[in-house]
Amino acid sequence: MDERGRQVDLLGDLPHIEAAQVRRCARALLRQPLLHADGPEADLLPLVYRHRAALRRLFAAYLGYPLRVERRFARLFKQRDDCGGRGVSGFTPRSYVYLALTLAALVEVGRQILLSQLVANVRGSAAEANITVSDDPIELRALAAALRHLVTLGVLEETEGTVTAVASGGPAEALITVDTELLGLLRRPVRASDVDSTDRAGHRPAAVDRAIGVLARRRLAEDPVVLYADLPIEEADYLRTHQRQESYWLDRYFGLQLEARAEGMVATDPDEYLTDFSFPGGSTVARMALLALEPLLAMSKPREVDRCHAVSVSQVRPVCAELVKRHPSGWAKSELANLDALASKVTSLLLQAGIARRVSEDVVVLVPAAHRWLPQVEERNNAAEPVSSDNVDELTLFGEGEARW
């Protein structure tokens, strides 16, 4: 921003081709905050290194994220600020516990260690933190997931054997090599000045406004659905006031399309490169979750405070049963064997996609953006297209109408 508080184009001094390259690198770092020579997007590291000054300026000024770039790695230090986001795919709360314990156990480890010794060190860290661990299969799978994630990040290298041997609970051994440099990059203390490192004007009100804008933008960049009711009043007011401006800059810097509604905003990537979770999908659970939205939304009126619809978890099963009855040939038979399990999977999918949020063990709420995915169900034209006798007069699962919300 300039001295008058106006946002300037952080890519404006670059030629068109170089600006496009910086944008591509910024998208890669937003998706993969730790890039290294042996990991995903490694081919972009030379380009990231070349444009490191512009990338540091972009992330510091627009999102308040510090960026460290070396020739063999690039590390974007995201700050959560209680933002949304789904975290590591497939991780359970226990997996995060084991990830923290493993990082603690690796602090005093040398360049190489046997898998059995690493597991023993993790259990030692757990004992020091008064955390109970066991050899239960669920526990072992959570530990294996944490170790596998560190392998993906490049912190651990499977020199001989594999870390997934932990999940079996057997005597399998492996030799693990530790990249101590990448290990040290997984955590960095953040100073208050990191929120807006470009502010040198010394104008306190402008600095406060800029900090609020940075926090609000982080929400949009990290969580596809942002409800005003979930934000502090200052951040919600900022987004309402700067809708068009932020829509332009999100597209300019990261290729995200911003859609504003009365209840909040949705940021989507048309190329789906930054999409960490796709909804809907082609599986039985995904299609049933999509079709279940309309009857579930109709079960309650939107709450005044946030326009969310409260739904009892027990109401999901009869909705699924009705969908099975209406579309008997539209589902995988293996999923229909246990309707209780199917309803639980549907609920979990809606929660994972951010369409539903859990209020208690028995109650979830559907966010206003759930209306985006309401399908249009059309009658089949049996005269124009012959169908088997099992599907006569059956409603098609999906029409060609646009999603609404």
Side-chain angles (χ1 to χ4, degrees):
M1 289 187 178
D2 60 17
E3 289 77 3
R4 297 183 180 181
R6 297 175 302 186
Q7 196 162 20
V8 298
D9 189 350
L10 299 170
L11 305 180
D13 59 344
L14 298 175
H16 177 73
I17 294 178
E18 292 191 8
Q21 291 174 341
V22 172
R23 184 171 180 255
R24 181 187 176 194
C25 293
R27 282 165 59 82
L29 287 164
L30 202 60
R31 177 184 180 183
Q32 190 77 22
L34 178 57
L35 299 180
H36 59 93
D38 300 319
E41 310 285 1
D43 59 313
L44 283 180
L45 273 177
L47 201 59
V48 171
Y49 186 80
R50 176 185 173 188
H51 294 295
R52 59 192 182 279
L55 287 165
R56 285 173 183 151
R57 182 175 68 248
L58 170 59
F59 279 109
Y62 192 69
L63 294 176
Y65 289 164
L67 174 65
R68 179 179 172 185
V69 180
E70 305 290 345
R71 289 194 179 275
R72 62 179 295 265
F73 66 80
R75 175 68 162 109
L76 180 66
F77 295 92
K78 292 186 177 184
Q79 312 304 325
R80 299 303 300 171
D81 301 315
D82 297 325
C83 293
R86 282 178 280 270
V88 181
S89 176
F91 258 42
T92 64
R94 201 63 175 171
S95 300
Y96 283 105
V97 171
Y98 275 112
L99 180 60
L101 291 173
T102 303
L103 292 175
L106 287 171
V107 170
E108 298 181 357
V109 170
R111 287 284 298 168
Q112 289 189 323
I113 186 173
L114 291 173
L115 180 60
S116 58
Q117 183 59 52
L118 178 57
V119 172
N121 290 355
V122 169
R123 289 173 176 166
S125 298
E128 292 179 4
N130 294 320
I131 298 175
T132 302
V133 296
S134 68
D135 290 330
D136 181 272
I138 296 178
E139 296 269 327
L140 293 176
R141 285 195 295 270
L143 173 56
L147 294 174
R148 172 53 56 190
H149 180 60
L150 291 175
V151 171
T152 302
L153 292 177
V155 175
L156 301 182
E157 178 186 345
E158 298 165 311
T159 305
E160 293 182 15
T162 174
V163 297
T164 54
V166 171
S168 64
E173 189 60 278
L175 178 62
I176 307 301
T177 300
V178 183
D179 190 320
T180 54
E181 191 171 23
L182 292 183
L183 175 63
L185 290 174
L186 292 188
R187 183 60 180 155
R188 172 186 182 274
V190 178
R191 305 179 302 274
S193 59
D194 287 333
V195 173
D196 189 5
S197 60
T198 62
D199 180 29
R200 299 183 178 89
H203 303 301
R204 180 62 182 168
V208 172
D209 290 343
R210 276 174 249 184
I212 292 173
V214 165
L215 296 177
R217 291 182 207 116
R218 287 179 184 172
R219 308 265 183 177
L220 296 173
E222 303 295 346
D223 194 338
V225 178
V226 177
L227 300 181
Y228 294 136
D230 294 339
L231 301 178
I233 295 176
E234 297 84 358
E235 293 180 33
D237 289 343
Y238 175 88
L239 289 179
R240 287 191 181 99
T241 306
H242 299 82
Q243 284 181 7
R244 293 184 180 179
Q245 176 181 327
E246 295 303 335
S247 177
Y248 175 80
W249 294 121
L250 274 175
D251 185 23
R252 169 72 167 155
Y253 299 148
F254 303 110
L256 292 174
Q257 301 293 311
L258 192 63
E259 184 177 331
R261 291 291 184 269
E263 305 88 356
M265 296 181 173
V266 171
T268 59
D269 181 9
D271 298 331
E272 297 189 355
Y273 175 81
L274 292 175
T275 302
D276 65 335
F277 184 88
S278 297
F279 182 86
S283 68
T284 287
V285 175
R287 288 183 284 119
M288 185 162 288
L290 176 65
L291 291 178
L293 285 176
E294 185 172 11
L296 289 174
L297 286 168
M299 288 180 176
S300 65
K301 294 182 178 180
R303 305 187 305 190
E304 288 295 331
V305 62
D306 55 11
R307 310 306 294 172
C308 291
H309 295 253
V311 177
S312 170
V313 174
S314 61
Q315 293 176 305
V316 179
R317 188 190 187 282
V319 169
C320 293
E322 177 61 25
L323 289 172
V324 171
K325 181 180 178 181
R326 292 180 61 191
H327 312 288
S329 62
W331 322 104
K333 292 182 179 180
S334 58
E335 295 286 4
L336 302 183
N338 188 335
L339 275 182
D340 289 328
L342 179 58
S344 178
K345 291 179 182 179
V346 168
T347 303
S348 297
L349 182 63
L350 292 175
L351 290 168
Q352 189 178 4
I355 298 171
R357 299 178 181 178
R358 188 174 292 279
V359 175
S360 66
E361 190 66 27
D362 301 322
V363 177
V364 298
V365 293
L366 299 174
V367 302
H371 293 275
R372 289 173 56 89
W373 290 280
L374 292 183
Q376 289 187 352
V377 183
E378 298 176 349
E379 295 284 354
R380 248 189 208 139
N381 188 344
N382 294 319
E385 181 180 354
V387 294
S388 65
S389 58
D390 292 338
N391 296 328
V392 172
D393 296 328
E394 184 182 340
L395 295 176
T396 60
L397 288 178
F398 303 101
E400 297 180 354
E402 296 181 355
R404 309 179 303 273
W405 75 297

